[in-house]
């Protein structure tokens, strides 16, 4: 048995090679989290480069980057945006006034304002993770492109993937230390 | 589609700018004070069943809470979903709770097509339907009544037709979709490919796609295996006029000129034979006609194919070598929707022949030979018709068709089009205005009918043309028959209701049974509850029905599916071998080895209209689904960015990405307004639409007026002389500006 001295750091690896951009992640999330029809906590980005017929395209399933140095948290005037278990950034709906400071601060456009008036975004399905279940998008992904886990546990699938595969991160210039990794 | 979301954020960001300045610092100290939000969408119970958002039929678990379905997830025990479902499958609850569902039986109260109805009781609607069916039976004979059907629930109505006595039972999924493929493979190997297709994508080391847009077409298990293969390092060769999702992952993308695939396939064979890269041992042992094939393709060099296909000779050589380098685990994917140009059986024959040269039929990573678990038929009276279907003008036409042609059944309704005329239609789960070519012809047929009734969940266009509309329950509210397909992991799956039928909808089995009773043929339905049928079949298969319904599925023994597993290959062809040269085709007057014949090309200023799928939709079946529509809520027409710069009528101002335009085809038919997607990702001589949009039915309150219908523009088609398939990629369109 290992001593649990290192804090958990929940992270996700998104395999851009396997992903076909079908949006099953976005929709499984929407159903699991009972989101409003216009609300998305995850979405698909496709980036095409080149001109016909010399083209390249990358497909990414995106969501909140669960930054360790999150601009949304530091810019939240009420303390609603906060770090929860495993470093996951959550919004406390009771404290959120819907002021949109976090929406403006987030370099990844990960947040939207829920019709009920609070800022909403990916929670890494902490309610499921706490019960020992997978995050909903990763559990459903037909292409198994999404791997969630504790990046600080060297034996986790995600830690292994980050050791074995090449990856990149989005917009690291903002200095927010994102916890999403895009396998390339 | 993040479009809505992004827009939303942009507005939000502007408004939040001031508040942002007043930010506080982090508050780790607050860690335990906050509650972790729980949306509580887990059901108080979970019902295993199988999906019908498309026809793949994945096993799902319906979460039900306080009598409402909260979410649908994959059933981990089911071999076709393995706990994961496609985006469409997640939208089943939104179908169940679609506010636009057909809620009560309807009787037409105005001219056909005007969509004016009166809600009536089930007994009134069923009495009227039975009265009309009876009148047609008396006046013209039962064969004058036809059933169009698509979907698993159609089996109850097929049974009704057997009881009633008509052979005219047709699914557009044959002559408008996969028919040519299955005929071609039967000609070549002695069997078709079925659904799920008997291919081993997962173990392929090289996958070649010809026009098949896997990943946009979301047949779940195929996509799962596709990703698995990519994960294991499989290589892709993608032949497509469009830079598809699959093309973006490919080692080679060959943007072929539409309509020339046979030339490419012949040139590949030429290289593979000429350079002796084929599996000589396999071909000698299992195939016949190799010498004829060698002779046939001797002149079909890459240099010959270059001006036809637009693919440089060196690329053709290189890809032929590449593909052959991975044999036998080099899968030439057979696709599914095969009705493109009217020579589709021959194109699919070329695919089969190439697969044979690679030795990939009956081999791991190629075409495999799965078995189904035994599931005896429920005993009952046999079908009793002596008539042959009316689906062709003369019985001698399309000699190798092995199913009824839906397009032919439609034609036979117009006087003088067949050996006998059809006078009544029952339409189950297929929107014929979008699934058959040339909707003008379908309209004409409908106007000639004595009677038409539709059974459906949503008010698709075809219901607007019907005399009686019977609202069916969704798959989440009903039993259907059990299913045991041939698959590498054999299984039997069951469908059962997760919730009670909503509104005044009824399950298909009940509707069919009620009609049988009224028509005096209920001796064909000697049961009152579908569980009697299903349980009987499960018990006859030595299964415990209680257990199967508890899990939704039961798996059987895996059996060898390829030579590597120890399977002995055999071929149910006349020669008992793989027929590279087909004597059957020759005898029927068709080329025994596929030939390339040029197709008409779009005139200057026009584009070939191609169509396909988006991952979130099953053509028109899901376009009204608001949940799925939140990601993809209208189709767009893809136009090459260079071609977009020189459109006639756009001289003063070039076409803008996102501008709404209309398409006008060679017969002057115009589409509804549709958004232009100006892109590098398609050739300059073709445009592309996702199929199934542009609805006109008033009842489809969400889908109506969104995007354009490719079907409207398919006013002509090329008929496959071998099996009667309708090749629909033969229409040309011009782009017309409508925005000031
Ligand atoms: S592929 Fe998708 S829509 Fe089709 S049966 Fe499976 S989950 Fe349902």
């Amino acid at each position: 048995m290992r001593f649990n001295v290192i804090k958990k750091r929940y992270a996700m690896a998104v395999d851009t090679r396997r992903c076909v951009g079908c949006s099953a992640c976005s929709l499984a999330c929407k159903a699991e989290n009972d989101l409003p029809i216009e609300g998305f906590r995850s979405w698909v980005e496709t980036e095409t480069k080149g001109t016909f017929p010399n083209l390249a395209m990358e497909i990414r399933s995106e969501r909140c980057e669960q930054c360790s140095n999150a601009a949304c948290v530091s810019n939240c005037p009420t303390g609603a945006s906060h770090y929860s278990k495993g470093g996951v950034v959550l919004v406390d709906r009771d404290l959120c006034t819907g002021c949109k400071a976090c929406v403006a601060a987030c370099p990844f456009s990960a947040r939207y304002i829920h019709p009920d008036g609070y800022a909403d975004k990916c929670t890494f399905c902490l309610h499921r993770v706490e019960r020992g279940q997978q995050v909903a998008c990763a559990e459903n992904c037909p292409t198994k492109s999404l791997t969630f886990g504790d990046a600080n546990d060297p034996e986790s699938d995600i830690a292994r993937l980050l050791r074995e595969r090449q990856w990149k991160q989005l917009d690291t210039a903002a200095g927010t230390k994102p916890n999403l990794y895009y396998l390339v | 589609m993040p479009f809505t979301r992004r827009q939303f954020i942009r507005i939000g960001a502007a408004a939040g700018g001031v508040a942002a300045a007043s930010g506080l610092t982090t508050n780790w100290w607050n860690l335990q004070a906050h509650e972790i939000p729980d949306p509580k969408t887990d059901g108080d119970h979970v019902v295993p069943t199988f999906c019908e958002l498309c026809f793949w039929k994945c096993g799902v678990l319906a979460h039900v809470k306080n009598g409402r379905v909260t979410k649908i997830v994959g059933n981990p025990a089911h071999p076709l979903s393995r706990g994961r479902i496609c985006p469409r499958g997640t939208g089943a609850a939104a179908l169940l709770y679609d506010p636009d569902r057909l809620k009560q039986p309807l009787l037409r109260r105005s001219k056909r097509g005007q969509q004016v109805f009166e809600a009536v009781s089930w007994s009134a609607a069923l009495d009227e339907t039975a009265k009309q069916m009876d009148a047609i039976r008396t006046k013209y004979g039962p064969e004058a009544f036809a059933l169009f059907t698509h979907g698993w629930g159609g089996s109850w109505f097929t049974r009704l037709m057997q009881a009633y006595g008509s052979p005219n039972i047709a699914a557009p999924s044959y002559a408008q979709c996969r028919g040519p493929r299955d005929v071609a493979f039967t000609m070549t190997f002695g069997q078709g490919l079925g659904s799920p297709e008997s291919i081993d994508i997962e173990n392929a080391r090289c996958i070649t796609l010809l026009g098949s847009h896997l990943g946009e077409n979301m047949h779940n298990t195929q996509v799962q295996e596709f990703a698995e293969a990519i994960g294991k390092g499989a290589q892709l060769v993608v032949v497509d006029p469009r830079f598809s999702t699959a093309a973006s992952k490919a080692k080679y993308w060959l943007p072929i000129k539409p309509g020339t695939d046979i030339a490419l396939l012949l040139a590949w064979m030429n290289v593979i034979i000429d350079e002796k890269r084929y599996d000589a041992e396999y071909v000698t042992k299992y195939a016949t006609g190799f010498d004829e094939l060698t002779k046939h393709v001797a002149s079909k060099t890459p240099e010959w194919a270059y001006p036809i296909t637009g693919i440089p000779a060196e690329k053709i050589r290189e890809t032929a070598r590449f593909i052959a380098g991975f044999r036998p685990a080099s899968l030439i994917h057979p696709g599914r929707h095969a009705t493109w140009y009217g020579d589709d059986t021959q194109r699919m024959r070329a695919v089969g022949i190439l697969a044979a040269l690679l030795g990939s039929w009956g081999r791991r990573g190629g075409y495999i030979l799965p078995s189904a678990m035994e599931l005896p038929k429920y005993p009952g009276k046999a079908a009793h018709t002596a008539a042959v279907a009316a689906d062709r003008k003369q019985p001698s036409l399309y000699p190798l068709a092995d199913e009824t042609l839906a397009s032919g059944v439609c034609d036979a309704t117009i006087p003088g089009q067949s050996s006998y005329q059809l006078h009544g239609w029952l339409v189950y789960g297929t929107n014929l205005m979008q699934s058959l070519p040339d909707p003008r012809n379908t309209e004409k047929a409908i106007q000639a009918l004595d009677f038409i009734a539709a059974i459906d969940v949503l008010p698709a266009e075809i219901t607007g043309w019907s005399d009686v509309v019977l609202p069916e329950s969704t798959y989440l509210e009903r039993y259907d028959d059990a299913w045991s397909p041939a698959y590498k992991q054999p299984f039997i799956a069951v469908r059962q209701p997760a919730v009670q039928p909503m509104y005044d909808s009824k399950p298909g089995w009940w509707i069919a049974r009620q009609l049988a009773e009224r028509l005096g043929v209920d001796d064909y339905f000697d049961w009152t509850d579908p569980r009697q049928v299903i349980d009987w079949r499960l018990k006859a298969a030595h299964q415990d029905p209680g257990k199967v319904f508890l899990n939704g599925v039961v798996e059987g023994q895996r059996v060898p599916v390829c030579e590597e597993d120890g399977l002995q290959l055999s071929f149910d062809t006349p020669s008992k071998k793989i027929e590279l040269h087909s004597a059957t085709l020759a005898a029927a007057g068709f080329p025994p080895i596929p030939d390339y014949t040029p197709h008409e090309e779009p005139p200057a200023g026009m584009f070939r209209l191609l169509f396909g799928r988006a991952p979130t939709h099953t053509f028109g079946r899901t376009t009204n689904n608001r949940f799925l529509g939140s990601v993809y809520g209208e189709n767009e027409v893809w136009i090459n960015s260079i071609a977009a710069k020189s459109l006639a009528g756009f001289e003063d101002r070039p076409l803008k990405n996102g501008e709404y335009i209309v398409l006008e085809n060679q017969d002057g038919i115009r589409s509804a307004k549709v958004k232009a997607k100006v892109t590098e990702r398609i050739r300059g001589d073709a445009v592309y639409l996702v199929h199934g949009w542009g609805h006109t039915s008033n009842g489809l309150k969400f889908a109506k007026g969104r995007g354009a219908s490719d079907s409207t523009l398919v006013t002509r088609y090329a008929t496959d002389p071998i099996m009667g398939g309708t090749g629909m990629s033969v229409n040309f369109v011009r782009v017309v500006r409508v925005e000031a």
Side-chain angles (χ1 to χ4, degrees):
Chain A
M1 209 204 213
R2 286 174 300 111
F3 289 104
N4 222 354
V5 285
I6 302 173
K7 272 174 92 103
K8 279 193 167 124
R9 179 167 67 91
Y10 287 139
M12 185 179 278
V14 178
D15 193 334
T16 63
R17 274 162 55 186
R18 296 179 75 116
C19 177
V20 295
C22 73
S23 302
C25 47
S26 318
L27 291 167
C29 164
K30 205 183 186 84
E32 169 65 29
N33 293 298
D34 195 18
L35 301 186
I37 197 77
E38 72 278 18
F40 284 97
R41 290 183 181 178
S42 94
W43 59 94
V44 171
E45 289 290 342
T46 54
E47 232 176 81
T48 312
K49 286 190 185 131
T51 52
F52 181 93
N54 302 307
L55 293 165
M57 187 167 82
E58 183 174 276
I59 307 172
R60 295 186 302 267
S61 165
E62 293 188 6
R63 57 196 46 58
C64 164
E65 298 272 332
Q66 305 293 358
C67 306
S68 295
N69 183 23
C72 55
V73 176
S74 48
N75 280 286
C76 176
T78 68
S81 283
H82 64 280
Y83 299 98
S84 185
K85 305 229 166 112
V88 174
V89 177
L90 293 183
V91 180
D92 190 325
R93 286 171 204 177
D94 294 339
L95 297 180
C96 180
T97 59
C99 77
K100 306 186 187 88
C102 55
V103 174
C106 172
F108 305 100
S109 307
R111 295 182 166 223
Y112 69 97
I113 301 295
H114 191 283
D116 290 348
Y118 56 86
D120 193 43
K121 61 156 206 87
C122 167
T123 61
F124 261 172
C125 284
L126 263 193
H127 64 287
R128 292 173 59 87
V129 173
E130 286 290 287
R131 295 198 291 256
Q133 294 172 303
Q134 266 289 322
V135 291
C137 56
E139 180 173 78
N140 184 68
C141 175
T143 62
K144 294 192 188 161
S145 300
L146 308 174
T147 307
F148 166 84
D150 176 10
N152 283 347
D153 173 0
E155 279 159 51
S156 67
D157 287 344
I158 184 161
R160 187 182 48 75
L161 272 174
L162 296 181
R163 277 196 305 273
E164 290 172 2
R165 290 276 302 272
Q166 283 198 309
W167 47 261
K168 64 176 187 187
Q169 292 197 294
L170 296 184
D171 202 3
T172 41
T176 61
K177 297 206 182 131
N179 282 301
L180 255 62
Y181 298 85
Y182 297 88
L183 306 176
V184 290
Chain B
M1 188 192 68
F3 187 74
T4 329
R5 198 191 66 87
R6 292 282 188 212
Q7 224 175 21
F8 203 43
I9 282 162
R10 234 173 275 132
I11 297 160
V18 181
S22 67
L24 298 177
T25 49
T26 52
N27 42 7
W28 283 90
W29 44 268
N30 214 7
L31 183 58
Q32 299 307 326
H34 305 282
E35 224 178 285
I36 291 172
D38 184 348
K40 300 200 165 61
T41 50
D42 281 1
D44 45 42
H45 67 287
V46 168
V47 181
T49 183
F50 62 83
C51 179
E52 183 96 5
L53 273 276
C54 85
F55 308 100
W56 198 252
K57 303 194 272 289
C58 299
V60 295
L61 302 175
H63 281 255
V64 184
K65 193 172 166 181
N66 303 325
R68 266 185 86 85
V69 174
T70 49
K71 64 185 171 191
I72 310 291
V73 298
N75 182 355
H78 195 289
L80 292 189
S81 64
R82 299 164 180 161
R84 296 163 190 269
I85 55 173
C86 88
R88 299 164 297 168
T90 67
L95 171 65
L96 172 64
Y97 300 120
D98 191 321
D100 301 336
R101 272 182 63 176
L102 293 166
K103 300 183 177 90
Q104 294 150 290
L106 303 172
L107 284 188
R108 182 168 61 80
R109 282 293 177 248
S110 176
K111 273 207 215 126
R112 274 195 192 131
Q114 289 190 340
Q115 310 176 50
V116 179
F117 294 96
E118 182 192 342
V120 295
S121 68
W122 271 100
S123 58
L126 292 165
D127 286 349
E128 173 65 12
T129 306
K131 189 180 100 194
Q132 297 288 346
M133 288 178 75
D134 187 44
I136 288 169
R137 180 168 60 180
T138 311
K139 198 162 164 197
Y140 315 100
E143 63 276 8
F145 198 87
L147 167 69
F148 294 90
T149 171
H150 199 187
W152 190 241
S155 70
W156 311 110
F157 295 94
T158 298
R159 182 68 183 152
L160 176 66
M161 283 298 103
Q162 289 168 349
Y164 178 85
S166 175
N168 288 300
I169 304 168
S173 51
Y174 183 74
Q176 281 65 53
C177 191
R178 60 171 175 81
R181 181 194 75 182
D182 286 349
V183 169
F185 276 76
T186 303
M187 292 294 103
T188 314
F189 300 101
Q191 65 185 83
L193 299 172
S195 175
E197 281 81 4
S198 47
I199 47 179
D200 189 18
I201 301 176
E202 191 171 15
N203 292 308
R205 295 177 54 225
C206 179
I207 302 163
T208 301
L209 301 175
L210 289 121
S212 159
H213 53 335
L214 216 51
E216 286 156 283
N217 180 5
M218 280 303 292
H219 286 129
N220 189 11
T221 329
Q222 282 208 26
V223 176
Q224 291 191 18
E225 291 200 16
F226 185 56
E228 210 55 46
I230 291 171
K232 289 193 287 185
Q235 299 294 323
L236 304 179
V237 176
V238 174
V239 181
D240 200 314
R242 201 172 54 92
F243 190 67
S244 60
T245 296
S248 77
K249 299 177 182 299
K251 165 103 176 161
Y252 293 101
W253 171 46
L254 307 179
I256 193 167
K257 180 192 277 186
T260 67
D261 308 73
I262 296 181
L264 174 68
L265 286 158
L266 292 173
W268 273 347
M269 291 183 214
N270 168 289
V271 177
I272 287 169
I273 292 178
D274 188 50
E275 299 183 1
K276 304 221 171 349
R277 292 176 189 271
Y278 60 97
D279 189 333
E281 203 182 309
Y282 178 96
V283 167
T284 313
K285 187 165 167 198
Y286 293 127
T288 164
F290 182 71
D291 294 341
E292 290 96 325
L293 178 67
T294 305
K295 231 167 57 219
H296 184 80
V297 301
S299 59
K300 310 292 187 292
T301 60
E303 285 71 21
W304 164 81
Y306 165 53
I308 299 172
T309 59
I311 304 167
E314 254 336 287
K315 264 274 141 38
I316 297 179
R317 259 202 191 88
E318 200 178 317
T319 44
R321 291 170 187 154
F322 188 77
I323 290 166
F326 294 95
R327 70 173 173 77
S330 185
L331 175 68
I332 312 293
H333 192 286
R336 189 160 165 122
H337 182 267
T339 44
W340 301 349
Y341 304 109
D343 55 0
D344 306 301
T345 306
Q346 292 289 14
R347 185 185 68 254
M348 294 315 302
R349 273 269 297 158
V351 167
I353 292 168
L354 179 58
L357 291 177
L358 298 170
S360 70
W361 176 275
R363 296 276 183 74
R364 184 165 294 145
Y367 288 81
I368 51 174
L369 299 146
S371 306
M373 282 171 81
E374 184 202 359
L375 182 63
K377 268 211 171 87
Y378 183 76
K381 290 181 74 172
H384 70 86
T385 179
V388 290
D391 62 340
R392 28 209 119 166
K393 258 192 180 138
Q394 301 104 33
S396 61
L397 277 175
Y398 320 126
L400 297 170
D402 52 6
E403 285 184 34
T404 306
L405 313 170
S407 36
V409 169
C410 174
D411 290 346
T413 307
I414 299 167
Q417 290 293 303
S418 179
S419 45
Y420 63 95
Q421 196 187 334
L422 300 176
H423 297 279
W425 288 4
L426 199 57
V427 186
Y428 176 82
T430 171
N431 187 13
L432 296 178
M433 309 319 289
Q434 288 195 334
S435 53
L436 294 176
D438 197 359
R440 299 173 308 177
N441 186 61
T442 310
E443 261 180 60
K444 199 161 130 197
I446 290 173
Q447 297 294 21
L449 282 167
D450 288 12
F451 179 70
I452 170 171
I455 301 138
D456 225 320
V457 172
L458 284 165
E461 281 73 23
I462 188 66
T463 63
W465 288 95
S466 298
D467 302 334
V468 178
V469 181
L470 304 172
E472 199 196 12
S473 307
T474 65
Y475 89 82
L476 288 168
E477 305 159 288
R478 67 183 201 232
Y479 281 105
D480 272 321
D481 207 350
W483 186 44
S484 175
Y487 192 59
K488 56 186 166 187
Q489 169 58 66
F491 66 92
I492 298 173
V494 290
R495 177 174 282 161
Q496 59 187 323
V499 289
Q500 289 303 306
M502 293 185 60
Y503 317 114
D504 206 2
S505 72
K506 295 282 185 191
W509 65 263
W510 183 89
I511 302 171
R513 229 198 146 279
Q514 288 289 320
L515 288 173
E517 248 175 51
R518 284 168 169 78
L519 288 161
V521 291
D522 48 333
D523 48 341
Y524 279 75
F525 291 76
D526 66 343
W527 46 269
T528 47
D529 183 322
R531 281 297 294 268
Q532 285 168 262
V533 176
I534 305 161
D535 289 10
W536 185 94
R537 297 188 70 194
L538 291 171
K539 281 184 201 148
H542 312 291
Q543 301 296 336
D544 171 359
K547 249 197 189 150
V548 181
F549 276 99
L550 189 69
N551 300 316
V553 65
V554 59
E555 292 191 341
Q557 279 290 320
R558 273 187 183 247
V559 294
V561 296
C562 57
E563 271 198 337
E564 290 86 340
D565 289 348
L567 182 76
Q568 289 282 355
L569 300 189
S570 62
F571 305 94
D572 196 11
T573 56
S575 63
K576 302 290 164 211
K577 293 200 152 205
I578 300 173
E579 303 205 336
L580 306 176
H581 172 280
S582 168
T584 310
L585 282 171
F590 303 113
I593 301 176
D595 248 329
Y596 166 72
T597 39
H599 296 290
E600 189 188 338
E601 285 182 30
M606 295 189 101
F607 302 86
R608 186 183 296 277
L609 174 67
L610 301 174
F611 58 92
R613 289 225 193 174
T616 38
H617 289 285
T618 305
F619 33 86
R621 279 172 84 87
T622 55
T623 41
N624 203 62
N625 191 305
R626 289 154 173 87
F627 181 82
L628 301 177
S630 69
V631 172
Y632 189 94
E634 64 182 295
N635 65 350
E636 309 150 305
V637 56
W638 295 40
I639 302 170
N640 172 276
S641 55
I642 306 266
K645 288 197 180 107
S646 52
L647 294 171
F650 289 73
E651 290 82 0
D652 48 336
R653 185 161 45 91
L655 174 67
K656 268 209 325 264
N657 186 38
E659 178 178 341
Y660 282 88
I661 51 104
V662 305
L663 299 173
E664 183 185 285
N665 80 353
Q666 69 281 335
D667 298 323
I669 300 291
R670 284 191 171 202
S671 74
K673 275 203 283 185
V674 59
K675 207 193 268 182
K677 172 178 170 138
V678 177
T679 175
E680 299 294 326
R681 292 177 57 194
I682 189 165
R683 287 174 59 100
D685 55 1
V687 294
Y688 174 81
L689 275 177
V690 168
H691 174 58
W693 293 84
H695 288 278
T696 55
S697 168
N698 295 333
L700 298 173
K701 298 217 168 63
F702 180 78
K704 189 186 173 193
R706 285 173 179 257
S709 164
D710 53 294
S711 316
T712 316
L713 299 167
V714 177
T715 48
R716 66 177 186 186
Y717 55 90
T719 306
D720 190 323
I722 299 175
M723 51 63 68
T726 56
M728 292 175 279
S729 300
V730 298
N731 291 272
F732 305 132
V733 293
R734 77 177 89 251
V735 178
V736 180
R737 172 159 269 161
V738 286
E739 285 184 353

